Amino acid sequence: MEFLLDPLMEREKSWESYSTSSSRSEAVEFKPVSEDSDVQDGDTLVSLDAILPDDLLEKVLSFLPVVSIIRSASVCKRWYGAVHSGRFSWTSMLPQKPWYFMFTCSEDAVAGYAYDPSLRKWYGFDFPCIEKSSWSASSSCGLVCFMDGEDRSRIFVCNPITRDWKKLQGAPGGKYPDYSALAVSVDRKSHSYTIAVAKCKQVPEDYYQWDLSIHVYESEGESWVTPFNETLVGWRGGDECVICDGVLYYLIYSTGVLGNAEPRHCLVMYDLSGRSSHMSLMRMAVPAPCSLTCGRLMNLRDRLVMVGGIGKHDRPGIIKGIGIWELHEEQWREVARMPRKFFQGFGEFDDVFASSGADDLIYIQSFGSPALLTFDVSQKLWKWSARSPVTKRFPLQLFTGFCFEPRLEIAS
């Protein structure tokens, strides 16, 4: 297991691994003091490192931020062993706030910066398997799942902190659907995971109908199944879905050909545990709360939350603000709206933007700007991140990103 980390403050190391040091660090020493305080100069010095049991050392390390845990491996050989041996599962470590990985949209290899909201620091960062910025990404409980934008059957799973990764067997449903969406969900107890891919393709020479299929991968069985197919009429699939409490939620879009221009978006759901193949998804469709752009779904502690641009009534493709909603009993409840000062703080805000969230934290980023805004759902607090090291080098340069939880115990 290899850990990589490079804070921007120490850029000269450029995301290098922290390996075992050949020399032990100097141990902290103290003199035991008796009750009468009659200490003699000849008393034996005792090393804390020598008397601290392995399990207690690991317990102490588990209270540190993940960045500090990784760096502690370079203190001495014993600490390296505590971090890397696998003897300790890190399941008892303190909860870590999700990080946000920001990168530039280009044809080059993907490398960017990860933002740690706890320490308010950016780190030079790259992923071990993602090749281009056009790839789709979904994350859950320390794992990030990627799907190749040019070949939708190529899917990878990785832990970006430990850099453990693997390529899955080819996903069914064809390499080149018109639209596809990816979601992953990790069981926090067993660490097994489920991946769902929704693929949608227009029926040949028919503008009214779109074939939708759902494909599911279970890590325990290491195999794909296709439990559901349906032909949508007047609606098509998109690129946004999420798994929340065992249910796959998927945003679909009106084609407008049947006069169903309003609502432009609907949410459909599919129970991954029941896996019924007979019921139409449209029977349980939930309309979007408003004219929506850039709708993004996220699982925040098993609550389904959606972030989206609020379109103008006369020009629905132009956003007048950004809202956050939570689904409650098949009804959308507004959680918050971005205050005007933050909305204007992005400068020239594009009609397209990236948003991603986990735990209780939501990230929002304009495609045309490296500025990053966070919203703490539990505290109802909007806050800018520390200034991003990403710079805009030309007017049409685009940026995007996604969040993931930094964890040490999850493997692909």
Side-chain angles (χ1 to χ4, degrees):
M1 185 163 54
E2 178 189 23
F3 300 140
L4 298 180
L5 194 64
D6 166 44
L8 185 65
M9 309 293 287
E10 303 169 1
R11 193 58 186 156
E12 65 274 7
K13 290 187 178 180
S14 187
W15 194 249
E16 66 183 32
S17 63
Y18 284 77
S19 58
T20 306
S21 173
S22 58
S23 60
R24 291 181 64 90
S25 62
E26 188 174 326
V28 178
E29 297 179 336
F30 68 95
K31 296 182 179 181
V33 181
S34 60
E35 292 184 1
D36 58 6
S37 299
D38 186 17
V39 181
Q40 301 297 322
D41 291 340
D43 285 349
T44 304
L45 298 179
V46 179
S47 168
L48 277 177
D49 187 58
I51 65 173
L52 198 65
D54 288 343
D55 57 345
L56 187 54
L57 171 63
E58 293 163 353
K59 182 67 174 178
V60 171
L61 292 177
S62 72
F63 285 98
L64 298 175
V66 67
V67 173
S68 300
I69 294 174
I70 295 171
R71 289 175 176 166
S72 69
S74 63
V75 170
C76 61
K77 291 182 179 180
R78 183 176 179 228
W79 285 32
Y80 181 92
V83 174
H84 291 270
S85 67
R87 178 176 61 249
F88 185 48
S89 68
W90 301 110
T91 54
S92 61
M93 67 185 295
L94 290 180
Q96 307 284 321
K97 289 185 178 181
W99 290 9
Y100 187 83
F101 176 60
M102 181 186 296
F103 57 98
T104 300
C105 299
S106 69
E107 292 298 317
D108 299 330
V110 175
Y113 297 88
Y115 178 66
D116 177 356
S118 298
L119 301 180
R120 291 183 58 80
K121 288 186 178 180
W122 290 88
Y123 307 101
F125 207 91
D126 65 353
F127 275 81
C129 54
I130 184 172
E131 298 169 3
K132 292 184 178 181
S133 61
S134 60
W135 287 34
S136 302
S138 176
S139 68
S140 173
C141 191
L143 288 186
V144 181
C145 186
F146 295 106
M147 179 168 59
D148 189 341
E150 297 178 357
D151 179 354
R152 309 300 172 84
S153 66
R154 293 184 69 215
I155 295 179
F156 295 79
V157 180
C158 79
N159 181 327
I161 299 297
T162 64
R163 302 185 69 78
D164 168 73
W165 67 277
K166 75 174 181 180
K167 178 182 177 182
L168 305 185
Q169 66 181 71
K175 298 181 178 181
Y176 314 110
D178 295 313
Y179 298 95
S180 60
L182 172 71
V184 61
S185 178
V186 177
D187 186 299
R188 292 182 181 270
K189 293 183 179 180
S190 67
H191 297 169
S192 62
Y193 57 88
T194 300
I195 296 172
V197 178
K199 296 184 177 182
C200 192
K201 191 173 183 64
Q202 188 176 19
V203 175
E205 300 181 2
D206 190 329
Y207 295 102
Y208 297 87
Q209 301 185 73
W210 294 76
D211 287 332
L212 170 66
S213 58
I214 295 176
H215 314 277
V216 181
Y217 177 91
E218 299 285 358
S219 64
E220 291 180 336
E222 296 187 337
S223 61
W224 289 94
V225 295
T226 304
F228 186 84
N229 291 273
E230 182 177 1
T231 299
L232 303 178
V233 180
W235 296 86
R236 65 162 179 82
D239 59 359
E240 188 63 26
C241 68
V242 71
I243 299 172
C244 187
D245 198 22
V247 176
L248 175 68
Y249 294 91
Y250 184 41
L251 275 181
I252 62 173
Y253 303 80
S254 168
T255 61
V257 296
L258 296 181
N260 56 345
E262 291 293 342
R264 297 176 64 212
H265 302 72
C266 270
L267 180 76
V268 295
M269 54 201 78
Y270 179 74
D271 188 346
L272 293 173
S273 58
R275 297 191 183 180
S276 170
S277 59
H278 305 294
M279 188 177 69
S280 170
L281 296 183
M282 298 306 299
R283 292 181 57 188
M284 299 285 288
V286 179
C290 64
S291 181
L292 202 65
T293 65
C294 286
R296 297 290 182 264
L297 302 174
M298 49 200 74
N299 179 346
L300 303 186
R301 297 187 178 183
D302 287 331
R303 295 172 297 161
L304 180 69
V305 172
M306 180 171 66
V307 177
I310 303 171
K312 296 182 178 180
H313 291 294
D314 55 339
R315 301 175 66 189
I318 305 299
I319 64 174
K320 61 181 181 181
I322 294 179
I324 301 174
W325 299 269
E326 180 181 349
L327 188 67
H328 181 74
E329 295 181 353
E330 300 183 16
Q331 295 289 329
W332 291 108
R333 289 183 176 178
E334 186 170 302
V335 175
R337 289 199 184 194
M338 183 185 295
R340 191 68 183 171
K341 65 176 182 179
F342 290 108
F343 185 73
Q344 295 174 335
F346 282 101
E348 186 178 348
F349 200 92
D350 295 310
D351 294 334
V352 290
F353 60 92
S355 59
S356 181
D359 193 36
D360 269 336
L361 196 62
I362 295 174
Y363 291 96
I364 298 176
Q365 176 198 354
S366 167
F367 279 174
S369 167
L372 181 63
L373 183 65
T374 67
F375 178 69
D376 189 307
V377 177
S378 60
Q379 299 182 25
K380 299 293 189 293
L381 178 65
W382 296 90
K383 190 175 185 180
W384 291 107
S385 73
R387 185 174 180 178
S388 168
V390 181
T391 57
K392 189 165 186 173
R393 299 180 179 178
F394 52 89
L396 297 181
Q397 186 175 12
L398 299 179
F399 308 89
T400 189
F402 55 85
C403 75
F404 65 91
E405 296 178 59
R407 301 181 71 94
L408 299 175
E409 79 277 20
I410 307 295
S412 61

